[in-house]
mmCIF file of all heavy atoms in Angstrom:
data_model
loop_
_atom_site.group_PDB
_atom_site.id
_atom_site.type_symbol
_atom_site.label_atom_id
_atom_site.label_comp_id
_atom_site.label_asym_id
_atom_site.label_seq_id
_atom_site.Cartn_x
_atom_site.Cartn_y
_atom_site.Cartn_z
ATOM 1 N N ALA A 110 145.929 143.114 65.847
ATOM 2 C CA ALA A 110 146.144 143.871 64.607
ATOM 3 C C ALA A 110 144.832 144.351 63.994
ATOM 4 O O ALA A 110 144.852 145.108 63.013
ATOM 5 C CB ALA A 110 146.892 143.005 63.595
ATOM 6 N N LEU A 111 143.690 143.960 64.569
ATOM 7 C CA LEU A 111 142.416 144.342 64.005
ATOM 8 C C LEU A 111 142.136 145.833 64.271
ATOM 9 O O LEU A 111 142.499 146.365 65.300
ATOM 10 C CB LEU A 111 141.290 143.510 64.600
ATOM 11 C CG LEU A 111 141.326 141.990 64.347
ATOM 12 C CD1 LEU A 111 140.113 141.330 64.963
ATOM 13 C CD2 LEU A 111 141.400 141.695 62.853
ATOM 14 N N SER A 112 141.464 146.457 63.325
ATOM 15 C CA SER A 112 141.039 147.843 63.496
ATOM 16 C C SER A 112 139.860 147.898 64.459
ATOM 17 O O SER A 112 139.270 146.869 64.821
ATOM 18 C CB SER A 112 140.644 148.442 62.163
ATOM 19 O OG SER A 112 139.456 147.846 61.673
ATOM 20 N N GLU A 113 139.480 149.119 64.830
ATOM 21 C CA GLU A 113 138.312 149.306 65.705
ATOM 22 C C GLU A 113 137.069 148.656 65.103
ATOM 23 O O GLU A 113 136.306 147.974 65.801
ATOM 24 C CB GLU A 113 138.070 150.786 65.948
ATOM 25 C CG GLU A 113 136.821 151.112 66.747
ATOM 26 C CD GLU A 113 136.538 152.591 66.772
ATOM 27 O OE1 GLU A 113 137.485 153.397 66.922
ATOM 28 O OE2 GLU A 113 135.350 152.970 66.601
ATOM 29 N N VAL A 114 136.851 148.868 63.819
ATOM 30 C CA VAL A 114 135.675 148.280 63.166
ATOM 31 C C VAL A 114 135.765 146.761 63.122
ATOM 32 O O VAL A 114 134.765 146.056 63.375
ATOM 33 C CB VAL A 114 135.542 148.866 61.720
ATOM 34 C CG1 VAL A 114 134.442 148.116 60.969
ATOM 35 C CG2 VAL A 114 135.263 150.340 61.785
ATOM 36 N N GLU A 115 136.946 146.226 62.834
ATOM 37 C CA GLU A 115 137.127 144.778 62.791
ATOM 38 C C GLU A 115 136.957 144.136 64.160
ATOM 39 O O GLU A 115 136.419 143.033 64.279
ATOM 40 C CB GLU A 115 138.484 144.436 62.209
ATOM 41 C CG GLU A 115 138.597 144.760 60.724
ATOM 42 C CD GLU A 115 140.027 144.676 60.235
ATOM 43 O OE1 GLU A 115 140.980 144.914 61.017
ATOM 44 O OE2 GLU A 115 140.219 144.360 59.015
ATOM 45 N N LEU A 116 137.392 144.824 65.207
ATOM 46 C CA LEU A 116 137.171 144.309 66.566
ATOM 47 C C LEU A 116 135.672 144.233 66.877
ATOM 48 O O LEU A 116 135.205 143.249 67.450
ATOM 49 C CB LEU A 116 137.869 145.216 67.592
ATOM 50 C CG LEU A 116 139.394 145.122 67.646
ATOM 51 C CD1 LEU A 116 139.970 146.230 68.526
ATOM 52 C CD2 LEU A 116 139.849 143.759 68.167
ATOM 53 N N MET A 117 134.941 145.279 66.464
ATOM 54 C CA MET A 117 133.487 145.263 66.683
ATOM 55 C C MET A 117 132.844 144.132 65.893
ATOM 56 O O MET A 117 131.937 143.439 66.383
ATOM 57 C CB MET A 117 132.896 146.626 66.296
ATOM 58 C CG MET A 117 131.387 146.720 66.470
ATOM 59 S SD MET A 117 130.855 146.455 68.162
ATOM 60 C CE MET A 117 129.194 145.831 67.887
ATOM 61 N N GLU A 118 133.309 143.889 64.704
ATOM 62 C CA GLU A 118 132.769 142.799 63.888
ATOM 63 C C GLU A 118 133.034 141.439 64.539
ATOM 64 O O GLU A 118 132.154 140.572 64.557
ATOM 65 C CB GLU A 118 133.376 142.841 62.481
ATOM 66 C CG GLU A 118 132.899 144.019 61.649
ATOM 67 C CD GLU A 118 133.617 144.131 60.318
ATOM 68 O OE1 GLU A 118 134.653 143.447 60.150
ATOM 69 O OE2 GLU A 118 133.155 144.912 59.461
ATOM 70 N N GLN A 119 134.236 141.228 65.077
ATOM 71 C CA GLN A 119 134.557 139.985 65.745
ATOM 72 C C GLN A 119 133.707 139.808 67.007
ATOM 73 O O GLN A 119 133.174 138.731 67.268
ATOM 74 C CB GLN A 119 136.043 139.968 66.112
ATOM 75 C CG GLN A 119 136.479 138.770 66.944
ATOM 76 C CD GLN A 119 136.400 137.440 66.201
ATOM 77 O OE1 GLN A 119 136.307 137.396 64.992
ATOM 78 N NE2 GLN A 119 136.412 136.344 66.960
ATOM 79 N N TYR A 120 133.550 140.891 67.766
ATOM 80 C CA TYR A 120 132.689 140.872 68.948
ATOM 81 C C TYR A 120 131.252 140.550 68.548
ATOM 82 O O TYR A 120 130.563 139.735 69.168
ATOM 83 C CB TYR A 120 132.781 142.222 69.650
ATOM 84 C CG TYR A 120 131.737 142.457 70.705
ATOM 85 C CD1 TYR A 120 131.899 141.991 72.011
ATOM 86 C CD2 TYR A 120 130.533 143.135 70.419
ATOM 87 C CE1 TYR A 120 130.940 142.195 72.980
ATOM 88 C CE2 TYR A 120 129.579 143.346 71.377
ATOM 89 C CZ TYR A 120 129.772 142.878 72.649
ATOM 90 O OH TYR A 120 128.811 143.072 73.593
ATOM 91 N N GLY A 121 130.777 141.184 67.455
ATOM 92 C CA GLY A 121 129.384 141.019 67.020
ATOM 93 C C GLY A 121 129.053 139.616 66.580
ATOM 94 O O GLY A 121 127.901 139.211 66.645
ATOM 95 N N LYS A 122 130.045 138.857 66.124
ATOM 96 C CA LYS A 122 129.774 137.472 65.715
ATOM 97 C C LYS A 122 129.215 136.636 66.855
ATOM 98 O O LYS A 122 128.428 135.724 66.632
ATOM 99 C CB LYS A 122 131.059 136.815 65.214
ATOM 100 C CG LYS A 122 131.595 137.357 63.885
ATOM 101 C CD LYS A 122 132.904 136.681 63.528
ATOM 102 C CE LYS A 122 133.510 137.249 62.270
ATOM 103 N NZ LYS A 122 134.823 136.623 61.953
ATOM 104 N N HIS A 123 129.606 136.955 68.058
ATOM 105 C CA HIS A 123 129.197 136.168 69.221
ATOM 106 C C HIS A 123 128.133 136.861 70.072
ATOM 107 O O HIS A 123 127.299 136.196 70.688
ATOM 108 C CB HIS A 123 130.420 135.867 70.106
ATOM 109 C CG HIS A 123 131.454 135.054 69.435
ATOM 110 N ND1 HIS A 123 131.505 133.677 69.560
ATOM 111 C CD2 HIS A 123 132.463 135.386 68.580
ATOM 112 C CE1 HIS A 123 132.529 133.204 68.846
ATOM 113 N NE2 HIS A 123 133.105 134.222 68.243
ATOM 114 N N PHE A 124 128.179 138.192 70.120
ATOM 115 C CA PHE A 124 127.323 138.926 71.055
ATOM 116 C C PHE A 124 126.331 139.860 70.374
ATOM 117 O O PHE A 124 125.609 140.577 71.039
ATOM 118 C CB PHE A 124 128.182 139.705 72.050
ATOM 119 C CG PHE A 124 129.147 138.837 72.817
ATOM 120 C CD1 PHE A 124 130.510 138.951 72.611
ATOM 121 C CD2 PHE A 124 128.692 137.885 73.711
ATOM 122 C CE1 PHE A 124 131.391 138.164 73.290
ATOM 123 C CE2 PHE A 124 129.572 137.088 74.393
ATOM 124 C CZ PHE A 124 130.945 137.212 74.182
ATOM 125 N N GLY A 125 126.328 139.848 69.033
ATOM 126 C CA GLY A 125 125.410 140.713 68.305
ATOM 127 C C GLY A 125 126.011 142.082 68.049
ATOM 128 O O GLY A 125 126.875 142.554 68.805
ATOM 129 N N SER A 126 125.562 142.708 66.985
ATOM 130 C CA SER A 126 126.107 144.015 66.589
ATOM 131 C C SER A 126 125.043 145.107 66.595
ATOM 132 O O SER A 126 125.210 146.166 65.990
ATOM 133 C CB SER A 126 126.743 143.927 65.197
ATOM 134 O OG SER A 126 125.819 143.421 64.252
ATOM 135 N N ASP A 127 123.936 144.875 67.306
ATOM 136 C CA ASP A 127 122.890 145.900 67.390
ATOM 137 C C ASP A 127 123.389 147.136 68.122
ATOM 138 O O ASP A 127 122.983 148.259 67.820
ATOM 139 C CB ASP A 127 121.670 145.341 68.117
ATOM 140 C CG ASP A 127 120.998 144.193 67.360
ATOM 141 O OD1 ASP A 127 121.222 144.110 66.135
ATOM 142 O OD2 ASP A 127 120.273 143.416 67.991
ATOM 143 N N ASN A 128 124.239 146.923 69.137
ATOM 144 C CA ASN A 128 124.770 148.035 69.932
ATOM 145 C C ASN A 128 126.236 148.242 69.573
ATOM 146 O O ASN A 128 127.061 147.344 69.772
ATOM 147 C CB ASN A 128 124.631 147.728 71.426
ATOM 148 C CG ASN A 128 123.194 147.525 71.839
ATOM 149 O OD1 ASN A 128 122.313 148.235 71.382
ATOM 150 N ND2 ASN A 128 122.951 146.525 72.669
ATOM 151 N N TRP A 129 126.572 149.438 69.060
ATOM 152 C CA TRP A 129 127.939 149.685 68.631
ATOM 153 C C TRP A 129 128.803 150.008 69.859
ATOM 154 O O TRP A 129 128.448 150.830 70.688
ATOM 155 C CB TRP A 129 127.996 150.863 67.675
ATOM 156 C CG TRP A 129 129.399 151.042 67.128
ATOM 157 C CD1 TRP A 129 130.369 151.839 67.622
ATOM 158 C CD2 TRP A 129 129.933 150.358 66.016
ATOM 159 N NE1 TRP A 129 131.512 151.709 66.875
ATOM 160 C CE2 TRP A 129 131.283 150.795 65.875
ATOM 161 C CE3 TRP A 129 129.458 149.392 65.106
ATOM 162 C CZ2 TRP A 129 132.128 150.312 64.875
ATOM 163 C CZ3 TRP A 129 130.275 148.929 64.119
ATOM 164 C CH2 TRP A 129 131.602 149.403 64.009
ATOM 165 N N VAL A 130 129.920 149.279 69.960
ATOM 166 C CA VAL A 130 130.878 149.468 71.040
ATOM 167 C C VAL A 130 132.168 149.976 70.434
ATOM 168 O O VAL A 130 132.639 149.480 69.409
ATOM 169 C CB VAL A 130 131.147 148.130 71.769
ATOM 170 C CG1 VAL A 130 132.153 148.327 72.891
ATOM 171 C CG2 VAL A 130 129.850 147.548 72.317
ATOM 172 N N THR A 131 132.766 151.006 71.046
ATOM 173 C CA THR A 131 134.053 151.543 70.570
ATOM 174 C C THR A 131 135.198 150.882 71.308
ATOM 175 O O THR A 131 135.247 150.948 72.542
ATOM 176 C CB THR A 131 134.092 153.073 70.763
ATOM 177 O OG1 THR A 131 133.061 153.678 69.993
ATOM 178 C CG2 THR A 131 135.433 153.615 70.296
ATOM 179 N N PHE A 132 136.083 150.240 70.574
ATOM 180 C CA PHE A 132 137.246 149.587 71.164
ATOM 181 C C PHE A 132 138.507 150.389 70.854
ATOM 182 O O PHE A 132 138.766 150.709 69.692
ATOM 183 C CB PHE A 132 137.412 148.171 70.615
ATOM 184 C CG PHE A 132 136.311 147.231 70.988
ATOM 185 C CD1 PHE A 132 135.268 146.947 70.109
ATOM 186 C CD2 PHE A 132 136.291 146.636 72.232
ATOM 187 C CE1 PHE A 132 134.257 146.069 70.448
ATOM 188 C CE2 PHE A 132 135.297 145.747 72.588
ATOM 189 C CZ PHE A 132 134.268 145.472 71.701
ATOM 190 N N SER A 133 139.305 150.685 71.862
ATOM 191 C CA SER A 133 140.644 151.252 71.683
ATOM 192 C C SER A 133 141.630 150.188 72.126
ATOM 193 O O SER A 133 141.781 149.940 73.336
ATOM 194 C CB SER A 133 140.798 152.538 72.497
ATOM 195 O OG SER A 133 142.122 153.027 72.373
ATOM 196 N N GLY A 134 142.276 149.536 71.190
ATOM 197 C CA GLY A 134 143.084 148.382 71.521
ATOM 198 C C GLY A 134 142.192 147.173 71.709
ATOM 199 O O GLY A 134 140.961 147.266 71.794
ATOM 200 N N CYS A 135 142.791 146.000 71.751
ATOM 201 C CA CYS A 135 142.018 144.751 71.831
ATOM 202 C C CYS A 135 141.882 144.279 73.275
ATOM 203 O O CYS A 135 142.897 144.007 73.941
ATOM 204 C CB CYS A 135 142.720 143.664 71.005
ATOM 205 S SG CYS A 135 141.827 142.091 70.996
ATOM 206 N N PRO A 136 140.656 144.156 73.765
ATOM 207 C CA PRO A 136 140.446 143.620 75.110
ATOM 208 C C PRO A 136 140.532 142.108 75.093
ATOM 209 O O PRO A 136 140.691 141.480 74.044
ATOM 210 C CB PRO A 136 139.023 144.077 75.430
ATOM 211 C CG PRO A 136 138.328 144.037 74.102
ATOM 212 C CD PRO A 136 139.373 144.457 73.089
#
Side-chain angles (χ1 to χ4, degrees):
L111 297 182
S112 68
E113 175 189 318
V114 172
E115 290 169 331
L116 287 170
M117 180 60 207
E118 290 174 347
Q119 174 66 18
Y120 168 85
K122 291 177 184 178
H123 297 265
F124 303 113
S126 55
D127 296 339
N128 300 318
W129 186 267
V130 180
T131 298
F132 294 99
S133 176
C135 182

